[in-house]
Amino acid sequence: MRSPIPGLGRVMVFLAAALASASLAVPEGWGEEGVQYGQVGTDVTLSCTGAHAGSPVQWRRAGAAALPEGSAIQQGSLVLPRASLATAGTYSCHDEDSGLLHAVSLRLGYLPGVPFVSCRASDYENFSCSWTSSVETFLPTRYITTYRKKSLTGEEKRRNKNGHVGPCLQDLSRPGTCTVHGSEFWSSYRLNITEVNPLGSSFRLLDVTMQAIIKPDPPEGLVVEPIPLAPRRLHVSWKYPSSWPKEPHFQLRFRLQYRPIIHRSWSVVETVNLSEVITDAFAGLEHVVQVSAKDFLDAGNWSEWSAEARATPVRDPATMASEETTTNASLESLAEEPSQAPNPEPINRSDTLEKMAILVSLGIFAFFILAAVLVVTILIWLRVRKHSKDETKPHSFLVAATHLKALPSESRCG
């Protein structure tokens, strides 16, 4: 039946978790007899067990000549106002004859804070959560770790009225972690991590969806090998992480990164296979290769990179022959060179400058020669043109004069 008030179910779950945490907040014993715990900044009262009512008592602090400043004895008990971490120590009460009546070790600290919690699934059958305290309490601390499956089938509800609540199992060899075994990949869970110390408790509720927290372990068995007669190729192979179940329904895809050892930038390729051939490696240079994995359907996150593997592609035969020829020629030229003994004549370092000056001078001289030739050519052309015009003018004058001279004679004949 659905709650008529929105969010009421969530509030009830929260209160139930808080009550459960509170009921487990302060264990009856912390395994330390004769120890009293107190909160920093509060007034702490130490009782003198064994003293008779109304009998005067004396209080002393081990290793100190006097009691902390501001302390007072009230009805046989020692009151320490606004206790600080420096107030901690061993205190004892005595009767009038200095006989020991009671001794207590005072330890001071803080209430627990809400822990920081993160969860991760390295496969689709189990997930682990880790936590760290948000407050340094200076007191002994325990953790209560439980989980509840959020979405239950009808059968599960009938079998377990508590909503399938179970312990998130803590591993003593890995402090600060717990694991939920037999989880379902398509289900959601609510984790309750409760931090408890002698002063109280605090808890964190965390909703976990398997698809969101899946992060495989790095692939294993990475091998990189050069390919014979292929100068720019490397063959890379690897295996599934051993923590990933060998089931056909949950495959992984992979990401391969590689670079020459002398370079900083990586080349990256993706594949669904367990091997890959690098086709653009640098011949003769050592390469470093790593691989990571992710769920085939892109759920969750990429794994961390695997450990490095290294290999060097074979060298190109043509390049090797060219290098050998160059090396041999260099050796021969070195053999033909005269002795490298010091030359008593000073080295003339101005030869290059002199050569450049000569070339510049020649260039300037050639420019002037060409300019002079051009000017002479233009002058000759102008002179020839003017001469041709002068010859044309007398010829025309003679023709006109002859024509005019002929006109009077014709008139007289008429």
Side-chain angles (χ1 to χ4, degrees):
M1 178 177 180
R2 296 184 61 182
S3 172
I5 303 177
L8 180 60
R10 183 177 300 177
V11 173
M12 294 300 295
V13 170
F14 183 84
L15 292 176
L19 292 174
S21 299
S23 65
L24 297 171
V26 184
E28 294 181 359
W30 286 86
E32 296 178 279
E33 186 176 356
V35 177
Q36 181 173 334
Y37 298 96
Q39 184 176 347
V40 172
T42 64
D43 295 345
V44 177
T45 300
L46 303 179
S47 301
C48 183
T49 304
H52 297 288
S55 299
V57 297
Q58 300 176 354
W59 279 92
R60 301 172 187 173
R61 183 182 182 186
L67 294 173
E69 184 179 357
S71 59
I73 300 176
Q74 298 177 0
Q75 298 179 354
S77 298
L78 178 63
V79 179
L80 303 171
R82 296 182 300 280
S84 64
L85 289 174
T87 309
T90 301
Y91 294 81
S92 59
C93 61
H94 304 261
D95 58 20
E96 293 180 316
D97 299 328
S98 298
L100 177 64
L101 297 176
H102 180 66
V104 60
S105 178
L106 176 63
R107 296 188 61 180
L108 297 169
Y110 299 92
L111 284 165
V114 178
F116 299 113
V117 183
S118 61
C119 297
R120 172 189 169 232
S122 58
D123 58 69
Y124 55 86
E125 295 179 340
N126 313 278
F127 69 90
S128 299
C129 296
S130 59
W131 59 86
T132 56
S133 178
S134 61
V135 175
E136 177 58 60
T137 64
F138 302 100
L139 297 175
T141 303
R142 298 173 183 172
Y143 290 91
I144 301 170
T145 54
T146 60
Y147 77 94
R148 179 180 65 84
K149 188 177 178 182
K150 294 184 65 177
S151 54
L152 299 176
T153 63
E155 179 62 23
E156 288 174 332
K157 291 179 180 179
R158 286 192 295 270
R159 285 189 287 119
N160 195 333
K161 295 182 180 180
N162 294 327
H164 198 64
V165 175
C168 184
L169 300 178
Q170 299 183 42
D171 186 351
L172 297 179
S173 63
R174 298 169 57 201
T177 62
C178 69
T179 303
V180 174
H181 296 283
S183 55
E184 298 175 358
F185 189 78
W186 305 110
S187 298
S188 298
Y189 298 86
R190 172 161 292 175
L191 270 292
N192 182 349
I193 308 298
T194 302
E195 181 177 336
V196 183
N197 73 11
L199 301 180
S201 66
S202 185
F203 67 93
R204 167 85 69 182
L205 294 179
L206 182 67
D207 290 337
V208 172
T209 302
M210 288 288 289
Q211 301 97 300
I213 64 171
I214 193 77
K215 182 179 179 180
D217 289 327
E220 302 172 0
L222 179 62
V223 177
V224 185
E225 298 174 315
I227 300 178
L229 304 178
R232 302 200 63 191
R233 301 197 174 200
L234 289 171
H235 182 265
V236 187
S237 61
W238 58 89
K239 299 178 182 177
Y240 268 56
S242 56
S243 58
W244 192 266
K246 304 300 186 296
E247 294 289 342
H249 308 295
F250 294 90
Q251 299 295 315
L252 292 175
R253 59 191 180 99
F254 304 95
R255 182 173 57 176
L256 185 73
Q257 70 173 11
Y258 59 94
R259 63 178 175 83
I261 196 68
I262 61 174
H263 292 176
R264 293 184 179 180
S265 59
W266 296 88
S267 298
V268 181
V269 295
E270 292 190 16
T271 180
V272 296
N273 302 315
L274 290 174
S275 64
E276 187 71 20
V277 175
I278 298 173
T279 59
D280 57 351
F282 290 86
L285 291 181
E286 185 180 28
H287 286 62
V288 58
V289 181
Q290 291 179 296
V291 64
S292 65
K294 189 178 185 180
D295 177 73
F296 182 79
L297 297 179
D298 206 32
N301 304 284
W302 284 99
S303 73
E304 300 296 332
W305 290 105
S306 67
E308 293 181 353
R310 300 186 180 188
T312 303
V314 296
R315 307 187 74 177
D316 187 356
T319 304
M320 293 175 64
S322 176
E323 291 179 353
E324 290 179 359
T325 304
T326 304
T327 303
N328 294 335
S330 299
L331 293 175
E332 291 176 1
S333 63
L334 288 175
E336 294 174 357
E337 289 181 359
S339 172
Q340 299 298 321
N343 189 346
E345 297 182 0
I347 299 175
N348 188 0
R349 301 182 181 276
S350 62
D351 289 347
T352 303
L353 295 177
E354 291 179 357
K355 291 178 180 179
M356 291 184 64
I358 292 172
L359 291 175
V360 172
S361 301
L362 291 174
I364 295 173
F365 179 76
F367 172 78
F368 281 111
I369 293 297
L370 291 174
V373 171
L374 181 61
V375 171
V376 171
T377 303
I378 293 174
L379 291 174
I380 293 173
W381 177 76
L382 291 174
R383 188 177 182 85
V384 171
R385 183 178 180 185
K386 183 177 181 182
H387 180 71
S388 62
K389 287 183 178 180
D390 292 339
E391 291 179 350
T392 303
K393 288 180 179 179
H395 177 74
S396 300
F397 176 76
L398 291 174
V399 171
T402 305
H403 180 71
L404 290 174
K405 189 176 180 179
L407 288 176
S409 59
E410 293 176 357
S411 178
R412 284 193 300 268
C413 291

